[in-house]
Amino acid sequence: MSDDEVRDAKNGPPREGSLDAPFRHPIAWRDDDYYDLAKVEAEMERQFDVCHTCRRCFNLCDSFPRLFDVIDESPTGELDSVPKSAYARVDEACTLCDMCFLTKCPYVPPHAFDIDIPHLIVRYRAAKRREGERDFVREQLGMTDRNGKLAKPVAGLANSISARKNTPLRKLLEAIAQIDANVELPKYSSKSATDRLKSPLAPNPAGPAFGRRKVALYATCFVDYNEPDTAVAAARVLALQGVEVKLVYPECCGMPQLEAGNLADVAGRAGRVAGIFQPLIEDGYDVVALTASCGLMMKFEWPLIEPQNKAVAALSAATKDICEYVVDLQKSFGLAAGLTPVEGGITLHHACHARAQNMGAKSAEMLRLIPETRVELVERCSGHGGTFGVMKETAPVARKVGRPTARQIAAKGTDTLCSDCPLACKHLGQLLVAETADAAHAAPRQAHPIEIFARAYGAV
């Protein structure tokens, strides 16, 4: 019996419209077949042909328009006359946002068509990587812990060199490393989140969750080295609720390595990080992630890469996004008094990797707990996608995808912009200036939602 027949026997006739809860298959990265490029391209042809006959995903990103254009321009107007080399262009535009799998495709498992384009792209990248096709600069940028440790002692100098207004050096960097000279790059901090939260904050004994909750904050590489204020804000908000908090940051979650198809590296990180969190979980700590991409990795990607690792499964079950966790505290115990209105209103960009966690718009739900504060929600891709939004070759596509989102944000007219993804927030802030004639009103204050919440408490 073929694989399709086995699926049909198990699931019954295919049904349209995602009537059943979707699921994902474990990633078989240890199997040699996983890296067989001919087999990978055959599977791409199979799945792309389903996409071609459906086309619901045409407006999500640039990958699908590229696919449909190359099919429509082919001699037969079908996938059979599209050269396999064209698949690389589809791959290039994929940021692994997961929106096609989560929000558009009616053919994801358990449907017999078994469509999962993001994980198919990961497999394609892994196969190409094994054949020796690697992007040196992107892989160096993805070594976030090394880069953060090197930049920390010379943060001022590093930030000056990388500043967008430093045109000569940015042009030189673009020529040497192909990093787009017009992109605002993240700044480094001379004092990391780990430095600033060496000593746990004393929980508020009058807090509604006092004695009931303990949290291990997973700082994430970006928060630790680039935005430590996010960790401080989260710790102070949780401490106000009476929660016992400690910051834990063993190493990066490996999202950049997943994007590069380096699955063995991601598996190693998952095992090591889960091993460090295991005794904390056994001691009753909840795990809270401070950026959306890292929460997605810990909750969903790691268990698919290491499905037999019990520590990884336990970490997945124990992990919550910071905004998700605050909302849970409010529903379980109520919140400490003291929230005050945020003047001028807030526009929240609901990042794709927060949406992909399938938990709802928890950041918006949290911000709406602030009294007398207008909270606007924008659910559309920023286009950034990590290194995708930085490299000269792909940054124009990131801007193209992000412009409609920036226009939606501009139309909201609020004084504060925040996002579950700090890179998306920075990217959209820059696009707002470019897309809005009145620059004075085009660059609202930018922060993580938990920082806005902490400000409403007067905690930062």
Side-chain angles (χ1 to χ4, degrees):
M1 184 179 285
S2 70
D3 289 344
D4 285 345
E5 289 170 329
V6 169
R7 279 194 293 268
D8 288 346
K10 182 179 178 182
N11 301 319
R15 295 194 292 166
E16 302 289 341
S18 298
L19 296 174
D20 298 303
F23 70 87
R24 279 184 145 159
H25 302 290
I27 298 174
W29 63 274
R30 287 185 172 88
D31 298 345
D32 286 338
D33 273 0
Y34 185 82
Y35 303 93
D36 187 315
L37 190 57
K39 292 180 180 178
V40 176
E41 289 177 339
E43 178 62 10
M44 293 175 87
E45 182 175 7
R46 184 190 74 79
Q47 293 200 34
F48 286 173
D49 197 42
V50 174
C51 297
H52 160 50
T53 61
C54 174
R55 302 203 177 199
R56 284 180 58 175
C57 47
F58 73 96
N59 61 346
L60 285 178
C61 65
D62 214 45
S63 284
F64 294 105
R66 289 184 183 193
L67 173 63
F68 303 146
D69 284 349
V70 78
I71 294 171
D72 293 342
E73 294 163 6
S74 69
T76 65
E78 299 291 342
L79 201 64
D80 59 7
S81 59
V82 173
K84 298 294 189 292
S85 59
Y87 295 175
R89 288 279 294 155
V90 180
D91 159 57
E92 180 190 57
C94 179
T95 61
L96 304 184
C97 73
D98 274 350
M99 289 300 97
C100 58
F101 181 89
L102 187 71
T103 70
K104 289 288 186 182
C105 185
Y107 302 126
V108 298
H111 194 284
F113 286 174
D114 203 19
I115 303 299
D116 187 343
I117 297 300
H119 278 188
L120 181 61
I121 293 295
V122 168
R123 184 182 176 190
Y124 179 67
R125 292 175 184 176
K128 300 280 274 189
R129 192 175 191 279
R130 179 168 284 196
E131 289 201 343
E133 187 174 312
R134 303 180 185 185
D135 188 320
F136 177 78
V137 173
R138 286 183 189 244
E139 295 212 358
Q140 297 308 305
L141 289 174
M143 298 179 70
T144 54
D145 289 321
R146 182 204 64 185
N147 298 343
K149 289 172 183 175
L150 288 173
K152 179 182 166 184
V154 292
L157 178 61
N159 294 337
S160 175
I161 290 171
S162 66
R164 190 162 64 98
K165 64 183 179 181
N166 193 341
T167 305
L169 286 177
R170 284 299 300 270
K171 288 293 185 183
L172 180 63
L173 185 63
E174 182 178 89
I176 295 172
Q178 296 298 296
I179 295 172
D180 193 298
N182 295 312
V183 171
E184 290 281 1
L185 296 176
K187 305 299 183 189
Y188 285 99
S189 176
S190 59
K191 199 169 183 182
S192 68
T194 303
D195 294 332
R196 294 177 64 180
L197 293 171
K198 279 183 179 177
S199 301
L201 301 181
N204 174 18
F210 183 73
R212 299 176 176 184
R213 291 287 182 91
K214 299 189 291 185
V215 162
L217 280 181
Y218 177 64
T220 77
C221 59
F222 192 86
V223 169
D224 199 42
Y225 301 118
N226 303 102
E227 296 288 349
D229 287 350
T230 303
V232 173
R236 289 179 179 174
V237 167
L238 293 177
L240 270 173
Q241 314 314 317
V243 177
E244 181 183 329
V245 184
K246 63 169 62 179
L247 190 79
V248 182
Y249 180 58
E251 60 182 298
C252 169
C253 70
M255 174 61 83
Q257 288 68 38
L258 180 75
E259 291 173 342
N262 190 356
L263 295 167
D265 185 283
V266 180
R269 292 169 187 268
R272 292 189 296 271
V273 173
I276 288 171
F277 275 103
Q278 186 172 14
L280 290 166
I281 294 169
E282 291 171 352
D283 193 32
Y285 279 84
D286 301 317
V287 179
V288 172
L290 293 177
T291 56
S293 297
C294 307
L296 180 68
M297 291 290 286
M298 296 163 78
K299 288 180 179 181
F300 297 106
E301 298 291 1
W302 283 2
L304 294 174
I305 291 171
E306 287 287 52
Q308 305 303 319
N309 189 317
K310 292 182 179 179
V312 167
L315 178 57
S316 171
T319 298
K320 280 187 166 59
D321 169 85
I322 179 59
C323 301
E324 178 187 19
Y325 196 78
V326 172
V327 170
D328 178 63
L329 287 176
Q330 187 272 330
K331 290 180 177 178
S332 299
F333 312 113
L335 292 179
L339 285 168
T340 58
V342 175
E343 297 297 329
I346 304 164
T347 297
L348 167 72
H349 167 251
H350 193 194
C352 294
H353 282 169
R355 296 174 67 190
Q357 292 180 47
N358 207 23
M359 61 185 172
K362 293 300 180 183
S363 43
E365 195 173 341
M366 180 189 76
L367 291 171
R368 286 175 178 144
L369 297 172
I370 303 172
E372 300 173 34
T373 299
R374 179 165 66 101
V375 177
E376 301 285 354
L377 180 64
V378 171
E379 289 188 299
R380 186 163 182 159
C381 185
S382 73
H384 190 275
T387 54
F388 181 86
V390 169
M391 303 305 295
K392 183 179 179 180
E393 187 175 16
T394 50
V397 183
R399 289 191 281 267
K400 171 187 171 184
V401 173
R403 282 189 192 107
T405 309
R407 293 186 195 113
Q408 284 189 19
I409 293 167
K412 303 297 182 183
T414 61
D415 290 349
T416 299
L417 168 65
C418 60
S419 175
D420 314 272
C421 173
L423 288 171
C425 195
K426 183 180 289 292
H427 179 62
L428 289 169
Q430 185 177 349
L431 286 174
L432 278 171
V433 175
E435 292 298 313
T436 308
D438 186 357
H441 295 91
R445 292 177 300 170
Q446 299 163 36
H448 189 285
I450 196 64
E451 293 180 56
I452 307 301
F453 204 68
R455 288 177 197 166
Y457 264 123
V460 292

